[in-house]
Amino acid sequence: MSDVIADGKVVAFHYTLTDDDGTVIDTSSGKDPMLYLHGSNNIVPGLEKRLVGQSAGDSLQVDVPPSEGYGERQGPGAQAVPRSQMPEGVELQVGMPLQASGSDGQTVVLWVTELTDDTVFVDLNHPLAGKTLHFDVQIVAVRGSTAVEKQHGHPHGMDGSASH
Ligand code: ZN
């Protein structure tokens, strides 16, 4: 009997993620499958929930609303920051996350939304916030996790032996 997806299982799957218009946002096609440890918040909750009970060879389509994906958009939107205030040596790209210190000293993640010669626009919202996510998923493999993987809360490669 093959393993079915449940808490503590390591899952490898291929996926294509599209938006409401059918535009491909991301895909594992042509790459290694995505690996995650079920029950450890490695992937968006709406997708994780729907994979329970699936096993290797299964294909399914999953629609994830923003509330179970990257959240609803909030806040004032993108803010302009002078490039001179950015840390040196960072190759800025649209869509990349930046870590910053909030007013209370907490680490906040800001996403780069736009770049000009002297200004960087950043937003608190994940680029996929507010979007319904449409996943086309093929389950490649399901296995039990090792003690170390459970402890770390993520997989260590296809067979659990990878180090980092
Ligand atoms: Zn680890």
Side-chain angles (χ1 to χ4, degrees):
M1 202 188 105
S2 64
D3 283 343
V4 299
I5 297 175
D7 281 352
K9 297 290 184 183
V10 172
V11 181
F13 67 99
H14 275 296
Y15 68 95
T16 296
L17 170 60
T18 52
D19 64 14
D20 282 336
D21 300 326
T23 304
V24 175
I25 297 168
D26 192 15
T27 179
S28 65
S29 177
K31 296 184 266 187
D32 287 337
M34 171 89 182
L35 275 176
Y36 81 99
L37 176 60
H38 195 92
S40 293
N41 296 314
N42 294 172
I43 61 174
V44 293
L47 178 59
E48 185 169 50
K49 193 170 79 178
R50 286 283 305 280
L51 296 181
V52 172
Q54 304 289 327
S55 53
D58 288 346
S59 293
L60 68 160
Q61 286 184 315
V62 181
D63 298 324
V64 177
S67 60
E68 295 182 316
Y70 292 96
E72 303 288 354
R73 293 192 65 81
Q74 19 183 303
Q79 308 288 302
V81 179
R83 265 191 195 258
S84 55
Q85 287 185 18
M86 288 288 155
E88 280 178 45
V90 177
E91 180 91 16
L92 294 168
Q93 284 177 349
V94 171
M96 78 186 283
L98 292 172
Q99 295 208 333
S101 302
S103 47
D104 53 2
Q106 269 186 314
T107 300
V108 293
V109 177
L110 299 167
W111 299 86
V112 177
T113 60
E114 195 185 335
L115 293 168
T116 68
D117 282 347
D118 38 44
T119 309
V120 180
F121 292 88
V122 294
D123 194 336
L124 277 168
N125 294 288
H126 186 280
L128 296 177
K131 294 193 175 174
T132 298
L133 312 172
H134 304 277
F135 287 97
D136 219 320
V137 176
Q138 293 97 42
I139 310 298
V140 175
V142 183
R143 64 167 171 82
S145 51
T146 66
V148 178
E149 287 175 323
K150 281 197 184 80
Q151 209 178 18
H152 287 200
H154 57 227
H156 285 180
M158 279 300 273
D159 64 359
S161 66
S163 56
H164 60 90

